[in-house]
Amino acid sequence: MSEYQGVLHRYSEMLHLPPGTRPITLLEGNTPLIPAPRLAEQLGGGFELYIKYEGLNPTGSFKDRGMTAAISAAVGEGARVVICASTGNTAASAAAYAARAGLRAVVLIPQGKVAAGKLAGAIAYGAQVLQVEGSFDDALQIVVEISQKHPICLVNSLNPYRIEGQKTAAFEICDRLGTAPEWLCLPVGNAGNITAYWAGFRQYDALRGTGLPHLLGVQAAGAAPLVLGHPVERPETVATAIRIGRPARGEQALQAAEESGGRIIAVTDEKILSMQRLLAATEGIWVEPASAAGLAGLAHEIATGRLRVRSQRVVAVCTGHGLKDPDIVIQWVSKPLSIPPRIDLLEEVLAL
Ligand code: AN7
């Protein structure tokens, strides 16, 4: 029996990585594609819904697939320092893989706008964490500049190897279902993930005839440059992961959505949060707010009659674990009820 060795090993012949790449892996990927029949019913029923639960990657988000590739290539090329700007998940992932490779990691995050579990991760893995007095977009601009000026490897998704590694999620979905689903819905922030899925599905289709999905990319209404058609100077959303106003791969995302016969839409924070709750309550899958955006978009399109999924298979990519952002959920209730350890009081509270 061969042991699972991570996405670079599993899909080595499919990935374009530089010669000399030295695999640095945490055995990322191979995440479950979980059927979600109860949620499908709630959205109107009559179709198959699957959750690609990317929050089960080693650092709790989908970023690990691209990061294993970027860090492995960086090590092969003799890098000593890696840098990224991040709304949190990229930072935690870069920090973990850099630690494993023995590299120095520097991560820049927008001040006060990074969820607790992500910041804690970046610190725990030993990265140098800097808060930028500005947005993610401001931070990205200066890390790109510094990586052009100094021998520091940029590991944001502008790095082509991030896209290579990230493609493996599309391969896994095709391997599991036998073909591509009819629809793939996912959140869109800096637009690396949707770009990578499209590249992955196309590559697999060309090689194995697995077909192509329609892509439904979903932004938060307060941070929806690809829907508005222009950059957003001050993006705002409760889904801080996708609080991005100038997506680095925005053009590619729009092209991917169009080529696929799909689209990019926006949903309100309210819809994102209620979908986060519904998914957890109906299927037992707790994701961070941004990760519920794809499903919130799907629900919106079905409810308004803009998307017909009858008898089709839909995969929703849930990009990050709920544990990344505990504060959001704790706000749902004021405070848990407190009782003395007495069975009669417990019976009373439970109305038994
Ligand atoms: C949970 O970590 O941009 O469209 O700096 O953390 O590929 O950017 C995170 C993005 C979706 C959007 N869901 O993906 C970062 C960062 C979660 C995320 C996205 C992010 P892209």
Side-chain angles (χ1 to χ4, degrees):
M1 202 185 90
S2 75
E3 226 174 282
Y4 182 71
Q5 288 180 287
V7 296
L8 297 193
H9 184 260
R10 180 166 175 202
Y11 293 109
S12 57
E13 76 285 7
M14 307 293 291
L15 308 181
H16 307 294
L17 297 175
T21 293
R22 286 239 327 268
I24 304 294
T25 180
L26 283 161
L27 310 186
E28 59 294 312
N30 204 15
T31 55
L33 190 64
I34 308 175
R38 281 172 32 94
L39 183 59
E41 271 318 303
Q42 295 270 329
L43 304 190
F47 69 106
E48 284 177 41
L49 178 61
Y50 297 88
I51 307 297
K52 182 66 171 162
Y53 196 9
E54 289 286 278
L56 295 188
N57 275 294
T59 76
S61 87
F62 73 106
K63 302 285 184 183
D64 294 345
R65 295 176 185 276
M67 202 54 74
T68 183
I71 298 288
S72 298
V75 170
E77 287 167 351
R80 300 298 315 148
V81 189
V82 297
I83 196 166
C84 66
S86 179
T87 57
N89 280 325
T90 301
S93 186
Y97 285 83
R100 202 158 171 84
L103 303 181
R104 176 177 171 197
V106 182
V107 305
L108 276 68
I109 57 174
Q111 191 157 36
K113 297 291 182 181
V114 168
K118 305 177 188 182
L119 179 57
I123 295 169
Y125 298 124
Q128 185 173 358
V129 180
L130 300 171
Q131 298 198 81
V132 173
E133 294 161 11
S135 65
F136 165 84
D137 306 284
D138 299 325
L140 183 60
Q141 193 171 331
I142 62 170
V143 298
V144 168
E145 280 173 26
I146 208 165
S147 70
Q148 287 163 350
K149 210 170 150 197
H150 298 275
I152 300 178
C153 181
L154 180 73
V155 295
N156 279 104
S157 61
L158 285 164
N159 180 321
Y161 308 127
R162 282 278 310 279
I163 303 299
E164 288 301 304
Q166 193 62 46
K167 291 190 306 193
T168 60
F171 303 158
E172 286 179 13
I173 291 171
C174 293
D175 284 343
R176 243 312 294 290
L177 295 178
T179 63
E182 278 73 25
W183 281 91
L184 183 91
C185 55
L186 75 174
V188 175
N190 212 25
N193 203 22
I194 190 170
T195 299
Y197 267 100
W198 188 236
F201 281 119
R202 286 188 33 166
Q203 189 177 347
Y204 239 46
D205 181 49
L207 201 72
R208 309 202 172 154
T210 39
L212 296 169
H214 305 293
L215 301 179
L216 181 68
V218 186
Q219 302 206 288
L226 301 181
V227 179
L228 297 169
H230 59 75
V232 175
E233 265 330 298
R234 283 190 192 73
E236 265 318 330
T237 168
V238 68
T240 52
I242 51 173
R243 189 173 168 273
I244 295 174
R246 261 177 282 140
R249 292 189 182 268
E251 284 305 317
Q252 281 169 281
L254 287 167
Q255 197 183 332
E258 191 185 325
E259 278 176 20
S260 78
R263 54 197 172 267
I264 297 182
I265 63 164
V267 292
T268 62
D269 278 4
E270 202 184 342
K271 290 212 159 107
I272 290 173
L273 291 177
S274 67
M275 181 53 73
Q276 179 193 25
R277 233 171 145 149
L278 183 64
L279 175 62
T282 57
E283 298 289 1
I285 300 172
W286 176 32
V287 303
E288 66 168 284
S291 302
L295 279 167
L298 175 70
H300 180 259
E301 294 296 278
I302 292 175
T304 53
R306 279 191 275 256
L307 202 157
R308 280 182 225 299
V309 287
R310 180 146 290 279
S311 303
Q312 296 187 341
R313 291 172 308 176
V314 180
V315 171
V317 181
C318 287
T319 44
H321 201 286
L323 286 166
K324 289 277 190 173
D325 195 352
D327 300 332
I328 289 286
V329 174
I330 291 165
Q331 289 165 15
W332 291 356
V333 292
S334 45
K335 201 168 154 220
L337 187 66
S338 131
I339 60 163
R342 276 174 40 199
I343 187 166
D344 57 323
L345 290 173
L346 182 58
E347 284 170 329
E348 196 182 315
V349 170
L350 300 183
L352 294 173

